[in-house]
Amino acid sequence: MNDRMSDRINETHDPRLRSWVSSANAPDQDFPIQNLPLGLFRPAGRAIEYRGGAAIGDQVLDLKAACERGVFAGPAREAALLAAGSSLRDLMAAGPAAAAALRRALSGLLREGAAQQPTLESALVPRSAIELALPAQIGDYTDFYTSIHHATAVGRLFRPDHPLLPNYRWLPVGYHGRSSSIAVSGQQFARPIGQRPPAAPGGQPSVGASERLDYELELGVFIGAGNVLGERIGIDAADGHIFGLCLLNDWSARDLQAWEYQPLGPFLGKNFATTISPWVVSLEALEPFRTEWVRAADDVQPLPYLDSASVRRSGAIDIQLEAWIETAAMRAAGEAPTRLSRSSFRHAYWNLAQMLAHHTINGCNLRPGDLLGTGTQSGPEAAEAGSLLELSRGGKHPVSLPDGEQRRFLEDGDEIILRGHCHRQGAVRIGFGEARGRVLPAAI
Amino acid sequence: MNDRMSDRINETHDPRLRSWVSSANAPDQDFPIQNLPLGLFRPAGRAIEYRGGAAIGDQVLDLKAACERGVFAGPAREAALLAAGSSLRDLMAAGPAAAAALRRALSGLLREGAAQQPTLESALVPRSAIELALPAQIGDYTDFYTSIHHATAVGRLFRPDHPLLPNYRWLPVGYHGRSSSIAVSGQQFARPIGQRPPAAPGGQPSVGASERLDYELELGVFIGAGNVLGERIGIDAADGHIFGLCLLNDWSARDLQAWEYQPLGPFLGKNFATTISPWVVSLEALEPFRTEWVRAADDVQPLPYLDSASVRRSGAIDIQLEAWIETAAMRAAGEAPTRLSRSSFRHAYWNLAQMLAHHTINGCNLRPGDLLGTGTQSGPEAAEAGSLLELSRGGKHPVSLPDGEQRRFLEDGDEIILRGHCHRQGAVRIGFGEARGRVLPAAI
């Protein structure tokens, strides 16, 4: 941890903090009092409005109920009221000071010895007894391509001679995705149907269910305060426009995509489903896990609008990412999911601040609740690949699962579970929960 | 007009109809009583909520005021109430029967001799005294590429040997665009800044204002009733999901786009601004201008999910489209805008029903208020090109304007005006109004 980072470390990060919600003090779980991610939930099976909540251990603090109990004051009260409604959008729009005030208040209210414990115990709901929704209506969804290892591995399948295109090292490549088909963990979707490439050049495409369905292990970034159309977000101001991060599975039908994507990019190969984890982890909670962002001296150096001393000092975040699979056979046999791969966001060639600075260099406006994807986070090692396309090297080398099954691509009934967490000596481990999604048979 | 089309022609299309709003009876104007497009407006300079209105001649009928006067009954009243609020989204969501009921009622209320004339005169507002807004909050915006003449002309600039990619004749190529930067006619925007391609392969890109800024002459399609994620819209059901059409200028920075677009498609080259006309012309109003959709016998024939006898009979619509320019010099000299080109939507290689059937073949959900672009509508003749890129053949052959100016691409101060209308022997001409937008100097 360097000087600048320690400026941003405050009492909410104190590793000695413990919560009166005892499950939050267990080791190796995702939601200690140092995390306090926000989401939108309601008690399971009750057709009432969703409302904001903070995950703490195996519980959720109902922010509407907490507001009604009068436990907040000042800016934290304003922020809690914004989060107590049926969307986190208004809190996102209020900017980082509001979110920080709420975090600080929650940290005080939930820590051991807090006078408000008796008042707040009835505002807790077990996480096992809730339903979750998207934190906000997502306006625009942009997906980036920030892992050079992923870009190179995928590029090699299409262009063995020059896997990485000339623009890659100069700009964070991004494109617009579909917001209507984004859902939280638990999403199930039918295998998409579409045009699959002709067997030989000049031939006729076939129409049918995708035979090369894949997952992509990504992070999602919720925009907080937006920018006005025509105004740029400078690289050093970028963090102030980020509300927080989640896990994101950018399901991809490789065969549909390969046939359709020239010259205007992915479309039906991607827009049938995208699954995110429901709990948004704030940048503030991630501060202890920031690390240097390095561009090798013999590599292309970022252009000025994508560069800054402070971003180089702490622009990377060491978020451990994992993809797990539970096949139908494993589920039937009562076997636990098995891990396909793990990587870290610290390997990303482009960081969060660069994504925002680039996105707005032309004046494009970001709005509260907009979502950015980081692109598949593959690490430098082959085993750190964030998709089956890479793990199976284009479907040529099947991946073996512990129960004897093999996977080139996803089969019907497969459930993919993305997980993420941060840990470091001297800090309390925080996690992202899960983004879980299942492939159903095609609806022919 | 063939049999199927005449099934859809009703009393609202009767060319003999005249309105008591006398300006609606003038020839060669856009909004006769046979048109009745809807938009969202408020009296200029008053900070009150926008509300739905129907354009009639040089007036707007305020639907909120009309509802308050009790002139609607039954399904038309329900529909008018949906359109009287601060968005047309709810009317869009209600589907084609609701919109048709409102159209039929408006046609009756506004025609010569209507008993409600004295009641409704005070619900009219001159169009010269209003401000307009987007008809609905646009969720997702998808842009297609349906003109084979445009795709071929642009492809030739990049790939002289094989301008048209192998997928073009098999599927309506589309990609996701940016909804946050879409605005109605009157939009002004700063010339976008970004990375321009290196002067030579392997060189360094430069950062600065786009030097190849262009317009694109398109139609926009507002989705009405949506589809559930996972359910397809069959080609013969597609029309029932379209609320109506408008003009759309897909402003494009060719230099930014050329450098960034591989391999994931256009991004900053497009997402700084998109301008649409504010009045949404219903498919019902366009019925008299439907025409055969022809795929030449020696061409690739559409796959079954993109084909239907009824769509072949009447899937094309003869909408005349025009792009005009008013430069700063012309404005200063008091000269009228000059036309750059004209074309017709009837030349599109893919039609509206095919766009929707393809978009949803994989289960992707469309939502009320979503917007589709048709892609640049260039006709078969060089003079029918829908962009400067094509008119100037990649910037190599400047276009001469009547006042002696020349244009390879757009200059600061240039205003582009898109216009559209339909006319046919035996029908009353209907028009789309304008999509007008102006380029301001880059904000360095």
Side-chain angles (χ1 to χ4, degrees):
Chain A
M1 195 157 49
N2 61 37
D3 286 352
R4 175 157 178 276
M5 283 148 58
S6 62
D7 288 354
R8 302 201 230 170
I9 298 293
N10 57 45
E11 63 178 79
T12 65
H13 302 100
D14 188 339
R16 295 163 302 183
L17 285 183
R18 291 170 59 86
S19 174
W20 52 262
V21 180
S22 58
S23 59
N25 305 320
D28 295 331
Q29 53 91 39
D30 285 348
F31 305 125
I33 193 168
Q34 289 81 2
N35 193 349
L36 300 173
L38 302 179
L40 208 64
F41 82 101
R42 68 181 178 191
R46 289 184 56 196
I48 59 174
E49 269 208 316
Y50 286 91
R51 72 275 308 277
I56 178 79
D58 60 9
Q59 305 288 310
V60 182
L61 179 69
D62 181 333
L63 293 175
K64 185 161 181 276
C67 284
E68 287 163 0
R69 284 159 177 73
V71 297
F72 297 106
R77 180 167 177 277
E78 302 295 318
L81 286 169
L82 294 177
S86 61
S87 164
L88 297 183
R89 187 200 166 280
D90 289 347
L91 178 63
M92 293 171 174
L102 178 58
R103 172 180 167 84
R104 192 171 292 249
L106 289 171
S107 176
L109 291 167
L110 292 168
R111 70 181 61 166
E112 270 182 355
Q116 296 87 348
Q117 178 180 348
T119 313
L120 284 179
E121 275 174 342
S122 62
L124 292 178
V125 185
R127 284 201 290 113
S128 59
I130 62 170
E131 296 171 0
L132 288 142
L134 290 175
Q137 187 178 330
I138 296 164
D140 281 295
Y141 161 48
T142 301
D143 201 17
F144 283 89
Y145 199 50
T146 67
S147 164
I148 197 169
H149 309 295
H150 172 69
T152 304
V154 173
R156 189 172 291 127
L157 299 173
F158 291 94
R159 300 171 301 273
D161 298 339
H162 52 293
L164 211 59
L165 291 164
N167 59 12
Y168 191 86
R169 293 173 186 276
W170 291 102
L171 53 80
V173 169
Y175 67 105
H176 297 113
R178 182 89 194 167
S179 67
S180 70
S181 50
I182 302 174
V184 289
S185 185
Q187 185 174 32
Q188 303 196 352
F189 61 90
R191 177 180 296 273
I193 288 170
Q195 291 193 27
R196 301 165 304 194
Q204 176 167 340
S206 60
V207 177
S210 170
E211 294 170 342
R212 294 166 71 92
L213 185 61
D214 203 354
Y215 68 93
E216 289 196 339
L217 173 56
E218 307 195 11
L219 283 163
V221 182
F222 273 100
I223 297 299
N227 62 308
V228 173
L229 187 58
E231 289 184 6
R232 297 190 279 281
I233 297 176
I235 188 156
D236 282 328
D239 283 357
H241 293 268
I242 295 176
F243 181 72
L245 274 60
C246 61
L247 304 165
L248 186 151
N249 187 343
D250 178 26
W251 304 96
S252 299
R254 305 294 180 190
D255 40 1
L256 276 50
Q257 185 183 342
W259 173 234
E260 76 180 355
Y261 89 107
Q262 289 281 19
L264 299 176
F267 183 46
L268 301 187
K270 299 274 195 181
N271 66 13
F272 53 91
T274 303
T275 309
I276 65 170
S277 58
W279 297 107
V280 186
V281 176
S282 65
L283 268 194
E284 190 173 357
L286 293 165
E287 284 298 330
F289 310 100
R290 283 189 176 271
T291 179
E292 240 185 329
W293 179 83
V294 180
R295 182 62 67 85
D298 62 350
D299 197 354
V300 166
Q301 297 305 305
L303 292 163
Y305 80 95
L306 295 172
D307 204 356
S308 108
S310 77
V311 166
R312 285 187 183 243
R313 268 200 304 277
S314 59
I317 312 180
D318 187 11
I319 303 174
Q320 304 290 321
L321 298 167
E322 302 178 347
W324 299 65
I325 190 170
E326 180 190 77
T327 69
M330 292 163 68
R331 203 155 45 244
E335 287 164 20
T338 188
R339 190 169 59 209
L340 289 167
S341 68
R342 57 176 158 182
S343 181
S344 167
F345 184 48
R346 77 171 183 279
H347 298 305
Y349 191 81
W350 297 102
N351 60 47
L352 298 179
Q354 290 167 330
M355 287 160 60
L356 268 75
H358 184 63
H359 203 319
T360 61
I361 180 68
N362 68 344
C364 179
N365 56 326
L366 306 181
R367 295 177 294 190
D370 283 353
L371 185 67
L372 313 182
T374 59
T376 308
Q377 293 302 305
S378 300
E381 305 300 324
E384 294 171 327
S387 68
L388 276 172
L389 181 72
E390 294 161 84
L391 291 172
S392 71
R393 281 167 286 164
K396 293 198 178 71
H397 302 271
V399 174
S400 292
L401 305 180
D403 68 348
E405 293 184 276
Q406 292 194 321
R407 285 293 180 274
R408 297 180 314 115
F409 292 99
L410 295 172
E411 304 281 341
D412 292 348
D414 284 354
E415 185 153 305
I416 292 291
I417 306 138
L418 305 187
R419 293 178 182 151
H421 71 273
C422 302
H423 67 92
R424 181 179 69 71
Q425 197 70 23
V428 173
R429 175 195 191 280
I430 66 172
F432 282 75
E434 292 181 344
R436 190 181 275 263
R438 190 183 297 181
V439 182
L440 303 179
I444 300 292
Chain B
M1 197 159 47
N2 60 38
D3 285 352
R4 175 159 177 274
M5 284 148 59
S6 60
D7 288 353
R8 301 202 231 169
I9 298 294
N10 57 45
E11 65 178 78
T12 66
H13 301 101
D14 188 338
R16 293 164 302 183
L17 284 183
R18 292 170 59 86
S19 173
W20 53 260
V21 180
S22 59
S23 59
N25 305 320
D28 295 330
Q29 52 92 38
D30 284 348
F31 304 126
I33 193 168
Q34 290 81 1
N35 193 349
L36 299 172
L38 302 179
L40 208 63
F41 82 101
R42 67 181 178 192
R46 289 185 57 196
I48 59 172
E49 271 207 315
Y50 287 90
R51 72 276 308 274
I56 178 80
D58 60 8
Q59 305 288 309
V60 183
L61 179 69
D62 181 334
L63 293 175
K64 184 161 181 278
C67 284
E68 288 164 358
R69 283 159 179 72
V71 296
F72 297 107
R77 181 167 176 277
E78 302 294 318
L81 285 169
L82 294 177
S86 61
S87 165
L88 297 183
R89 186 200 166 282
D90 290 346
L91 178 63
M92 292 172 174
L102 179 57
R103 172 180 167 85
R104 193 172 291 250
L106 289 171
S107 176
L109 291 166
L110 291 168
R111 70 182 58 167
E112 271 183 356
Q116 296 87 348
Q117 177 179 349
T119 312
L120 283 178
E121 275 175 343
S122 62
L124 291 178
V125 185
R127 283 201 292 115
S128 59
I130 62 170
E131 297 170 359
L132 289 143
L134 290 176
Q137 188 177 330
I138 296 164
D140 282 295
Y141 161 48
T142 301
D143 201 17
F144 283 88
Y145 199 50
T146 67
S147 163
I148 197 169
H149 309 295
H150 172 68
T152 304
V154 172
R156 188 172 291 127
L157 298 174
F158 292 93
R159 301 170 301 273
D161 296 340
H162 52 294
L164 211 58
L165 290 164
N167 58 13
Y168 190 86
R169 294 173 185 275
W170 291 101
L171 54 79
V173 169
Y175 68 106
H176 297 113
R178 181 92 194 164
S179 67
S180 70
S181 50
I182 303 174
V184 290
S185 185
Q187 185 174 33
Q188 304 197 349
F189 61 90
R191 176 180 297 271
I193 288 170
Q195 291 193 26
R196 299 165 306 194
Q204 175 166 341
S206 60
V207 177
S210 169
E211 294 171 341
R212 294 165 71 91
L213 185 62
D214 203 354
Y215 68 93
E216 289 195 340
L217 172 58
E218 306 194 10
L219 283 163
V221 183
F222 273 99
I223 298 298
N227 62 309
V228 173
L229 186 59
E231 290 185 3
R232 296 190 281 280
I233 296 176
I235 189 155
D236 282 329
D239 283 357
H241 293 267
I242 295 175
F243 181 73
L245 274 61
C246 62
L247 304 165
L248 186 151
N249 186 342
D250 178 26
W251 303 96
S252 299
R254 305 294 180 190
D255 39 2
L256 277 50
Q257 185 183 341
W259 174 234
E260 75 178 357
Y261 90 107
Q262 289 282 18
L264 298 177
F267 183 47
L268 302 187
K270 298 275 195 181
N271 65 12
F272 53 90
T274 303
T275 309
I276 65 171
S277 58
W279 297 107
V280 186
V281 176
S282 65
L283 270 194
E284 190 174 357
L286 293 166
E287 285 297 331
F289 310 100
R290 283 189 176 271
T291 178
E292 238 185 331
W293 179 84
V294 180
R295 182 63 64 89
D298 61 351
D299 198 352
V300 166
Q301 296 306 303
L303 291 163
Y305 79 95
L306 296 172
D307 204 357
S308 108
S310 78
V311 166
R312 285 186 184 245
R313 269 201 303 275
S314 59
I317 311 180
D318 187 12
I319 303 174
Q320 304 289 320
L321 297 167
E322 301 178 348
W324 298 66
I325 189 169
E326 181 191 77
T327 69
M330 291 162 69
R331 203 155 45 243
E335 286 164 20
T338 187
R339 190 169 59 208
L340 289 167
S341 67
R342 58 177 157 180
S343 181
S344 167
F345 184 48
R346 77 170 183 278
H347 298 305
Y349 191 80
W350 296 102
N351 61 48
L352 298 178
Q354 291 167 330
M355 288 161 60
L356 269 75
H358 184 65
H359 203 318
T360 62
I361 179 68
N362 69 343
C364 179
N365 55 327
L366 306 181
R367 295 177 295 191
D370 283 352
L371 184 67
L372 313 182
T374 58
T376 309
Q377 293 303 305
S378 300
E381 304 300 323
E384 293 171 325
S387 69
L388 276 171
L389 181 73
E390 294 160 84
L391 291 172
S392 71
R393 281 167 285 164
K396 293 198 180 73
H397 301 273
V399 174
S400 292
L401 305 181
D403 67 349
E405 293 184 276
Q406 292 195 320
R407 284 295 180 273
R408 296 182 314 115
F409 292 100
L410 295 172
E411 304 281 340
D412 292 348
D414 284 354
E415 185 154 305
I416 293 291
I417 306 136
L418 305 187
R419 293 176 183 153
H421 71 273
C422 302
H423 67 92
R424 181 180 69 71
Q425 196 70 24
V428 173
R429 176 195 191 281
I430 66 171
F432 281 75
E434 290 182 345
R436 189 179 276 262
R438 189 183 298 182
V439 182
L440 303 180
I444 300 292

